[in-house]
Amino acid sequence: MDVILVDENDVPTGTMEKMEVHQKAMLHRAFSVFIFNSEGEMLLQKRSAGKYHSPSLWTNTCCSHPAPGQEIKLAAAKRLMEEMGFTTQIKKAFEFIYKAPFDNGLTEYEYDHVFTGTYDGTIIPDKSEVSDYCFQNLHKITTLMQLHPEEYTEWFKIAFPKLQAYLVGTGY
């Protein structure tokens, strides 16, 4: 799969195969989706043990990369269905850049578009992508991340405080 290379302003500069991008630590476009239930709890997923990086770690509801020519919000909605087995309205919250190297020599260097939504229905995760999931209140997530940071993905540790600040700013 090719991903979209971008500059620091999210202007496309080309495309490259996903694994090569992660090997060369190239800045590329990505998205992260954070879904909440009507109680305000966040839907977390535990990545499957077979993932090529960050296996068996807790993270946001879903994330991935839009394909070249694919509108990012549509890509995020499609990936939510593929990974978690449901659709819901999502809206753009904010964007940020992060860089996180991994022990296996790969690096995530992403211009990340963050989307949020609400959902209370049935969840049918793709077991090749997701080994477990749960709804958790934000205070408990903060506490668990402080106690066991090694159980969470690097990008979630960066994105979660930004999401909390966004939610406070919107009166959540």
Side-chain angles (χ1 to χ4, degrees):
M1 172 187 173
D2 282 353
V3 298
I4 304 164
L5 301 174
V6 296
D7 66 15
E8 289 81 14
N9 296 309
D10 196 35
V11 175
T13 60
T15 62
M16 187 179 285
E17 195 279 322
K18 181 172 77 168
M19 191 59 73
E20 185 179 2
V21 165
H22 293 117
Q23 291 166 341
K24 294 181 175 179
M26 303 288 290
L27 182 59
H28 59 285
R29 188 174 290 162
F31 58 81
S32 295
V33 180
F34 292 81
I35 299 297
F36 297 86
N37 63 19
S38 58
E39 304 294 316
E41 298 168 319
M42 182 186 294
L43 177 57
L44 299 175
Q45 70 149 279
K46 187 173 188 180
R47 291 168 59 87
S48 81
K51 298 296 271 185
Y52 68 95
H53 71 74
S54 308
S56 302
L57 297 180
W58 288 99
T59 196
N60 53 292
T61 310
C62 81
C63 53
S64 190
H65 311 90
Q70 188 178 34
E71 198 275 317
I72 194 157
K73 184 176 179 182
L74 292 176
K78 180 180 179 199
R79 190 66 185 165
L80 180 62
M81 180 63 187
E82 291 170 354
E83 284 194 22
M84 302 304 288
F86 68 87
T87 60
T88 190
Q89 289 290 105
I90 58 173
K91 67 176 183 174
K92 179 81 171 276
F94 59 92
E95 50 200 51
F96 71 103
I97 296 174
Y98 77 93
K99 191 172 191 178
F102 301 108
D103 292 341
N104 64 2
L106 300 178
T107 300
E108 281 285 16
Y109 186 24
E110 296 187 333
Y111 193 105
D112 197 13
H113 296 256
V114 176
F115 295 88
T116 61
T118 303
Y119 183 74
D120 285 310
T122 303
I123 299 166
I124 308 169
D126 176 346
K127 293 298 183 187
S128 68
E129 298 283 342
V130 181
S131 65
D132 198 3
Y133 67 91
C134 68
F135 279 98
Q136 210 57 268
N137 76 52
L138 301 183
H139 178 72
K140 185 162 185 181
I141 293 170
T142 300
T143 301
L144 291 171
M145 283 177 47
Q146 290 169 347
L147 293 173
H148 305 286
E150 73 284 357
E151 294 182 8
Y152 294 86
T153 63
E154 289 302 313
W155 65 88
F156 185 72
K157 290 185 258 187
I158 297 166
F160 184 68
K162 294 178 183 305
L163 180 70
Q164 288 178 298
Y166 166 80
L167 294 172
V168 168
T170 60
Y172 176 80

